[in-house]
Amino acid sequence: MTNRSGIDIPDARGRTGLDRTGRDLTGNPDVVIRDVELLATAWHVLRRTTYDYRGRDGQWSRQQRETYDRGDGATVLLHDPARDTVLLTRQFRFPVYVNGHPDGMFVETAAGLLDGDDPAAAIRREASEELGVAIGELEPVFSVWMSPGSVTEKVHCFAATYSPAQRVGDGGGLVEDGEDIEAVEIPLADALKMIETGEIADAKTIMLIQWKALDTHRRRPLDVTGR
């Protein structure tokens, strides 16, 4: 049998056994995994899984799904409560550019893959690299699957406060990774308007900004009329 990259021999990133993921799943008795094929391993991993699925009518069918596995990620919304601003990133994103975004310059929260770190450590690393911010206390907000039909990634979403004093570096991302990231400071009210206009169109960023607006409203003291 010919040795296969990512299966029998290490791929370009030193990985083997990439066809084993999902074969041992037993949590759903209505799903029986039959085969896992590797379609691509150039950077992240594209698999095609064949499984038998028992529908609500009790009938079994043979199905296939392709999944893109890039690992899990973390993101953080940085908010300055004294000035009511949020600190975001702007960078070129080719996938959105090729799918209709006017120029591909995307405004979003600082984010990155875990790369073996726990979520909190990973987002502290990313905030330092991308925005030059040393984060203090982190507040876990939610963990979500962003594209459950095809992408396996779960994103751990955090919130944290910041101040100008916590801007301890230049940020900008890692040059060796091809990153060219601009820090963008925006009043929270303006960020909400940018969601309405489509200037902010990133899902994780929209969710965190709207969460922050709702959280601020919940924490606001009632006036004497009870409103």
Side-chain angles (χ1 to χ4, degrees):
M1 179 182 295
T2 303
N3 287 335
R4 296 158 296 176
S5 176
I7 299 177
D8 309 298
I9 61 173
D11 68 358
R13 301 184 68 186
R15 302 170 296 189
T16 58
L18 295 177
D19 64 327
R20 306 307 305 171
T21 299
R23 290 183 182 270
D24 58 352
L25 291 173
T26 58
N28 188 337
D30 297 322
V31 178
V32 179
I33 307 299
R34 296 303 182 186
D35 191 28
V36 180
E37 305 167 77
L38 281 187
L39 302 182
T41 63
W43 186 245
H44 302 306
V45 183
L46 181 64
R47 299 180 178 90
R48 178 167 56 218
T49 300
T50 302
Y51 59 91
D52 293 336
Y53 175 76
R54 180 165 54 193
R56 290 179 297 166
D57 61 1
Q59 300 299 309
W60 288 91
S61 62
R62 179 66 53 92
Q63 300 189 13
Q64 287 186 325
R65 293 292 185 275
E66 292 183 5
T67 56
Y68 189 55
D69 182 356
R70 59 193 304 270
D72 291 342
T75 189
V76 64
L77 178 67
L78 295 173
H79 177 249
D80 183 342
R83 297 178 296 148
D84 201 22
T85 57
V86 292
L87 188 61
L88 305 175
T89 69
R90 180 187 286 118
Q91 60 184 306
F92 178 69
R93 295 293 203 185
F94 180 76
V96 305
Y97 186 43
V98 78
N99 193 33
H101 191 277
D103 58 9
M105 301 304 296
F106 221 46
V107 177
E108 55 190 290
T109 49
L113 297 178
L114 302 187
D115 286 335
D117 288 334
D118 66 77
I123 198 53
R124 291 182 187 279
R125 178 194 71 224
E126 294 297 328
S128 175
E129 292 175 357
E130 296 185 359
L131 295 171
V133 172
I135 294 179
E137 184 178 354
L138 279 169
E139 178 180 1
V141 179
F142 38 64
S143 295
V144 293
W145 280 269
M146 301 298 294
S147 185
S150 58
V151 180
T152 63
E153 180 185 16
K154 179 167 62 175
V155 180
H156 302 272
C157 299
F158 295 91
T161 61
Y162 81 99
S163 69
Q166 290 170 267
R167 301 283 300 276
V168 296
D170 294 332
L174 299 179
V175 174
E176 57 268 33
D177 287 347
E179 295 179 333
D180 180 24
I181 299 172
E182 176 189 1
V184 182
E185 194 169 56
I186 306 170
L188 178 60
D190 290 351
L192 286 163
K193 292 177 183 176
M194 290 172 70
I195 294 173
E196 295 179 9
T197 63
E199 294 170 271
I200 292 178
D202 174 66
K204 64 183 182 296
T205 306
I206 292 172
M207 290 190 296
L208 280 169
I209 289 173
Q210 291 183 336
W211 167 84
K212 185 60 188 176
L214 289 170
D215 186 62
T216 299
H217 179 74
R218 284 194 299 266
R219 294 171 187 261
R220 183 179 299 138
L222 292 176
D223 65 22
V224 293
T225 65
R227 292 178 293 180

